């Protein structure tokens, strides 16, 4: 009975990981990433990096092109390089590259094409998923914690929205919550929380997983369906 339960939970974890990657890295992107790719620093390589990164941001980036800002192009190259390392199963190298992206976002002005909180969420999420691929679960948990904290700080700084101690969404003005950029930011933060909850569930912390998923559902109603998963059932 216990073995069947653990097997079921593992299957659910794998299923959600596949769904998560399919949402943020469409199959069409993996097709051209997997092909023989030009060097990142060549014009063709830079175009490929911009296409990948723009797609990975799922519509949150605007006006991404060869004339994009230096900050956006730098992040695109870093993320593309990390994907190529992951393709070759060099998860340690990919993790280091994602940390370079995070450091870049901490030290330089944000890219004009995308809210800083979204670009940060994309980097932290990919870092955590990469660490999980290398079975560095403790590091992945710490990454989720740090990522959620940084994303919330940036949402407060740039978008003037925050989540209070009672898990209620607050903003400087009611209409701010209807802004498309704010909605996109909330969706990314919710995705980080759900992915973190999945990790906790994998480690046997089902109650913690449910709390994180409930917080995500407050931010993004589409995440509420995860609460119906058998693996997350039970009293808090």
């Amino acid at each position: 009975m216990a073995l069947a339960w653990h097997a079921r939970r593992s299957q659910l974890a794998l299923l959600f990981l596949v769904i998560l990657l399919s949402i943020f890295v469409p199959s069409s992107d993996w097709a051209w990433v997997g092909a023989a790719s030009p060097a990142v620093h060549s014009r063709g390589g830079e175009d490929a990096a911009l296409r990948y990164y723009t797609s990975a941001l799922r519509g949150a980036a605007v006006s991404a092109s060869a004339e994009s800002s230096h900050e956006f192009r730098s992040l695109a190259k870093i993320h593309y390089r990390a994907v190529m390392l992951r393709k070759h199963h060099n998860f340690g190298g990919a993790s280091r590259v994602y940390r370079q992206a995070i450091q870049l976002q901490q030290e330089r002005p944000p890219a004009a094409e995308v809210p800083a909180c979204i670009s940060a969420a994309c980097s932290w999420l990919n870092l955590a998923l990469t660490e999980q691929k290398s079975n560095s679960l403790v590091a992945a948990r710490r990454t989720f914690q740090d990522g959620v904290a940084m994303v919330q700080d940036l949402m407060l700084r740039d978008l003037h929205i925050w989540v209070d101690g009672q898990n209620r969404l607050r903003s400087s003005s009611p209409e701010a919550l209807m802004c498309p950029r704010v909605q996109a930011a909330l969706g990314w933060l919710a995705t980080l929380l759900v992915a973190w909850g999945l990790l906790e569930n994998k480690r046997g912390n089902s109650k913690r997983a449910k709390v994180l998923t409930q917080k995500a559902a407050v931010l993004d109603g589409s995440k509420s369906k995860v609460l119906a998963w058998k693996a997350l059932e039970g009293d808090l």
Side-chain angles (χ1 to χ4, degrees):
M1 186 74 174
L3 289 175
W5 167 250
H6 287 298
R8 176 62 175 165
R9 188 166 63 190
S10 297
Q11 290 172 353
L12 287 171
L14 179 60
L15 174 62
F16 186 75
L17 182 58
V18 170
I19 293 172
L20 196 64
L21 288 174
S22 69
I23 291 174
F24 289 95
V25 186
S27 58
S28 59
D29 294 323
W30 283 111
W32 60 260
V33 168
S37 302
V40 175
H41 296 291
S42 69
R43 180 56 184 268
E46 184 169 316
D47 289 345
L50 285 170
R51 288 197 302 272
Y52 166 75
Y53 188 50
T54 301
S55 181
L57 291 169
R58 300 301 296 177
V62 295
S63 302
S65 66
E67 287 70 43
S68 298
S69 67
H70 173 72
E71 291 79 14
F72 189 85
R73 286 186 283 110
S74 295
L75 287 171
K77 291 175 184 177
I78 291 173
H79 273 256
Y80 186 70
R81 190 182 310 128
V83 166
M84 296 307 296
L85 289 168
R86 279 165 48 173
K87 172 181 176 288
H88 293 288
H89 303 283
N90 184 352
F91 300 117
S95 295
R96 288 189 291 273
V97 172
Y98 283 126
R99 289 197 178 277
Q100 290 176 8
I102 293 166
Q103 182 177 2
L104 188 71
Q105 293 169 85
Q106 291 171 328
E107 296 177 351
R108 295 188 184 181
E113 293 81 357
V114 62
C117 56
I118 293 180
S119 58
C122 184
S123 298
W124 284 105
L125 175 63
N126 278 282
L127 172 58
L129 294 178
T130 301
E131 289 172 337
Q132 288 186 68
K133 289 288 288 184
S134 61
N135 292 317
S136 301
L137 301 186
V138 174
R141 169 190 274 177
R142 186 166 56 249
T143 292
F144 279 125
Q145 291 174 329
D146 293 344
V148 167
M150 179 176 174
V151 170
Q152 290 188 99
D153 286 346
L154 292 173
M155 288 171 63
L156 175 60
R157 186 194 74 182
D158 298 338
L159 302 177
H160 311 295
I161 58 174
W162 67 96
V163 180
D164 67 16
Q166 284 71 48
N167 197 35
R168 293 174 299 189
L169 192 59
R170 302 291 191 179
S171 68
S172 56
S173 61
E175 58 271 17
L177 296 177
M178 303 306 296
C179 172
R181 283 197 159 194
V182 168
Q183 290 296 312
L186 294 174
W188 272 97
L189 177 56
T191 296
L192 268 177
L193 289 168
V194 169
W196 181 5
L198 176 62
L199 172 64
E200 295 294 345
N201 192 64
K202 184 177 181 180
R203 292 172 59 85
N205 302 322
S206 58
K207 290 184 179 180
R208 180 61 173 158
K210 191 169 184 177
V211 169
L212 290 167
T213 306
Q214 287 175 332
K215 290 181 177 180
V218 171
L219 303 174
D220 181 356
S222 68
K223 302 298 189 292
S224 60
K225 59 181 178 290
V226 181
L227 290 168
W229 285 17
K230 293 289 185 181
L232 293 179
E233 288 183 350
D235 297 329
L236 294 177

